[in-house]
């Protein structure tokens, strides 16, 4: 008995995916619930398990094909590794003679004289106009409607001929995740009034705190004390002081969010993703480090669920782990703020009238100027700076 392998529900508003990889080929034995095929959506990858034990008898879609929810990906012949049973081919029915193709009616017969005159004056190909009259007859209003219809968006320019260095190039189809990232970046730049402001932070106090307590912290909590937990806590304190940066524009309304779900940009196996740390204001440093670590591991192993990526209120991205000195991060719509961390560099700075060497980090806040004024953006960064340079403030809530 054949069992269908169907595309499962992919999550809210997601209707299609791309077949990323088949773990089996036709004829292979499969076990029940064994990961059979990997589907890639614009947000996550999903393992589709085998609905029953048996052997994979057929595959309906190859790797790279688009599939929709509910479509049959292939068939399993039920049984413990039973070989695929091929049904006997039924004799093909005699082909019926093809009907003679009807000659299309001439334009004069399927359009009115007035319609033809308007089409000629405006250089419209009347054979391409859909008629609203009986039998599809084209009237004057049909031609005018064609003229007033907005032009379809131009297709991306295609190469006019073979690329001169094609032998030394490789063409790879863009993944759904990368396409979605590209769409969202363009969306952010076209729908928000983005502006970025900068500040610098002396990381000396946090680094000294880590050095002093990291071993004991790790022994007690089973996780290292990193910088991200400090910046999440500092950001939450700043968001409480400046709620516009934890808000969202919805039409003519502003939605102020009285919860703090902080997205943390991490590198997954297929690119940058932004899983969300829920209720960050209710978590201590140890809980935050564990949450970030677990989400990072899931991202690298393609185990993030859609729920891990949805509903963030503010985002933090750390380009410093790759060596970035300064950048202008792009908003993650519909959020109105994103904080960029960068690398820590020993630099000469003035302290108490003397030049000293301190571990410094540039930080950046990109914000939606439609909702956030420059004053609030600058003060937000100052608040983050104060919390990092005096980390005891995070514990004393001052």
């Amino acid at each position: 008995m054949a069992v269908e392998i169907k595309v499962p529900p992919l999550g809210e508003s997601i209707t299609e995916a791309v077949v990323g990889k088949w773990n089996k080929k036709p004829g292979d034995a499969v076990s029940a619930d064994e990961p059979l095929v990997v589907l890639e959506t614009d947000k996550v990858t999903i393992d589709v398990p085998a609905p029953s034990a048996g052997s994979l008898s057929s595959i309906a879609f190859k790797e790279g094909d688009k599939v929709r929810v509910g479509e049959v990906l292939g068939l399993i012949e039920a049984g413990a590794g039973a070989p695929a049973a091929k049904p006997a081919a039924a004799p093909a029915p005699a082909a019926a003679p093809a009907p003679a193709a009807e000659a299309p009616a001439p334009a004069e017969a399927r359009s009115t004289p007035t319609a033809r005159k308007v089409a000629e004056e405006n250089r419209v190909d009347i054979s391409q106009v859909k008629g609203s009259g009986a039998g599809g007859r084209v009237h004057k209003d049909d031609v005018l409607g064609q003229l007033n219809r907005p032009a379809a968006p131009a297709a991306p320019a295609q190469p006019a001929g073979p690329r001169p260095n094609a032998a030394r190039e490789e063409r790879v189809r863009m993944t759904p995740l990368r396409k979605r990232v590209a769409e969202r970046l363009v969306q952010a730049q076209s729908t928000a009034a983005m502006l970025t402001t900068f500040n610098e932070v002396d990381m000396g106090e946090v680094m000294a705190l880590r050095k002093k307590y990291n071993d004991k912290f790790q022994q007690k909590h089973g996780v290292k004390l990193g910088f991200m937990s400090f910046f999440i806590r500092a950001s939450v304190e700043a968001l409480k002081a400046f709620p516009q940066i934890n808000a969202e524009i919805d039409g003519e309304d502003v939605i102020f969010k009285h919860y703090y779900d902080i997205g943390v940009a991490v590198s997954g196996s297929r690119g940058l993703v932004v899983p969300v740390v829920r209720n960050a204001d209710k978590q201590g440093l140890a809980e935050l480090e564990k949450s970030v670590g677990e989400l990072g591991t899931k991202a690298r192993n393609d185990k993030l669920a859609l729920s891990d990526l949805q509903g963030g209120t503010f985002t933090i991205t750390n380009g410093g782990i790759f060596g970035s000195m300064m950048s202008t991060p792009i908003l993650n719509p519909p959020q109105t703020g994103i904080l960029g961390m960068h690398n820590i560099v020993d630099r000469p700075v003035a302290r108490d009238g003397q030049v000293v060497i301190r571990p410094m980090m540039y930080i950046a806040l990109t914000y939606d100027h439609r909702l956030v004024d420059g004053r609030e953006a600058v003060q937000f960064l100052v608040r983050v700076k104060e919390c990092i340079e005096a980390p005891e403030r995070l514990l004393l809530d001052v």
Side-chain angles (χ1 to χ4, degrees):
M1 176 182 177
V3 179
E4 295 179 337
I5 310 159
K6 291 187 176 182
V7 178
L10 301 172
E12 182 181 359
S13 76
I14 300 178
T15 59
E16 67 178 20
V18 172
V19 178
K21 179 184 178 183
W22 280 96
N23 297 322
K24 298 286 186 177
K25 57 182 181 295
D28 287 352
V30 298
S31 304
D33 298 324
E34 178 182 6
L36 195 57
V37 58
V38 178
L39 301 181
E40 296 182 358
T41 74
D42 58 11
K43 295 182 179 179
V44 294
T45 58
I46 298 172
D47 286 321
V48 179
S52 68
S55 63
L56 182 61
S57 60
S58 65
I59 289 175
F61 296 93
K62 62 181 184 298
E63 295 176 3
D65 286 348
K66 286 186 178 181
V67 293
R68 300 184 67 83
V69 173
E71 286 188 316
V72 177
L73 293 164
L75 298 175
I76 292 176
E77 193 65 29
K86 294 185 179 179
E102 290 186 13
E108 291 78 3
R110 53 178 294 273
S111 58
T112 66
T114 307
R116 292 196 295 274
K117 181 179 180 181
V118 173
E120 289 174 6
E121 291 174 349
N122 293 276
R123 297 181 179 179
V124 172
D125 184 357
I126 201 166
S127 65
Q128 302 300 316
V129 179
K130 184 176 181 181
S132 59
R137 189 171 175 81
V138 179
H139 294 276
K140 172 185 173 182
D141 289 342
D142 299 323
V143 179
L144 294 175
Q146 179 87 353
L147 288 171
N148 296 328
R149 187 174 303 151
Q158 297 296 325
R163 295 178 63 85
N165 292 302
R168 296 186 292 170
E169 297 174 340
E170 179 184 9
R171 184 183 294 270
V172 179
R173 180 67 59 89
M174 189 179 291
T175 65
L177 175 62
R178 177 51 56 188
K179 287 172 62 177
R180 181 58 175 160
V181 168
E183 290 169 0
R184 289 181 66 83
L185 292 179
V186 173
Q187 175 193 356
Q189 291 184 318
S190 62
T191 60
M194 290 194 295
L195 191 63
T196 304
T197 187
F198 301 90
N199 211 318
E200 61 179 359
V201 177
D202 186 334
M203 298 294 293
E205 292 299 321
V206 167
M207 293 175 72
L209 196 64
R210 289 181 68 218
K211 183 176 181 180
K212 183 176 181 179
Y213 292 107
N214 188 52
D215 290 342
K216 292 181 179 178
F217 186 90
Q218 190 169 2
Q219 289 174 5
K220 181 175 181 179
H221 301 291
V223 65
K224 291 183 178 180
L225 180 59
F227 293 126
M228 184 57 74
S229 57
F230 287 98
F231 276 93
I232 293 176
R233 286 290 303 274
S235 296
V236 168
E237 294 305 312
L239 291 171
K240 289 179 179 179
F242 304 100
Q244 307 97 309
I245 307 176
N246 199 52
E248 169 188 336
I249 295 177
D250 184 16
E252 296 183 356
D253 299 327
V254 178
I255 301 175
F256 290 92
K257 301 172 183 178
H258 303 297
Y259 56 96
Y260 305 90
D261 290 349
I262 308 300
V264 179
V266 296
S267 293
S269 64
R270 299 181 300 132
L272 189 71
V273 290
V274 188
V276 179
V277 177
R278 308 288 175 186
N279 299 313
D281 56 319
K282 296 179 171 57
Q283 298 187 40
L285 296 178
E287 293 172 301
L288 290 173
E289 291 292 347
K290 290 178 182 178
S291 297
V292 172
E294 290 170 359
L295 291 171
T297 300
K298 290 170 73 174
R300 288 187 293 273
N301 296 328
D302 281 335
K303 298 299 182 184
L304 285 172
L306 288 171
S307 58
D308 293 323
L309 301 168
Q310 295 173 335
T313 64
F314 182 78
T315 296
I316 301 176
T317 179
N318 183 9
I321 59 176
F322 305 112
S324 171
M325 182 186 75
M326 186 180 291
S327 66
T328 55
I330 296 179
L331 288 174
N332 186 13
Q335 298 171 18
T336 57
I338 178 172
L339 178 70
M341 299 165 56
H342 300 92
N343 62 355
I344 302 171
V345 178
D346 285 341
R347 290 199 296 269
V349 295
R351 292 288 187 270
D352 300 324
Q354 295 184 344
V355 176
V356 295
I357 304 299
R358 299 293 298 171
M360 304 298 293
M361 174 194 287
Y362 289 122
I363 56 175
L365 176 73
T366 297
Y367 57 98
D368 191 340
H369 211 344
R370 295 178 300 166
L371 184 58
V372 182
D373 291 332
R375 179 185 64 179
E376 286 80 14
V378 170
Q379 290 177 324
F380 176 94
L381 279 189
V382 169
R383 186 60 176 267
V384 171
K385 172 184 172 73
E386 291 172 345
C387 291
I388 298 298
E389 293 185 342
E392 62 271 12
R393 295 175 66 117
L394 298 174
L395 302 176
L396 300 175
D397 193 23
V398 295

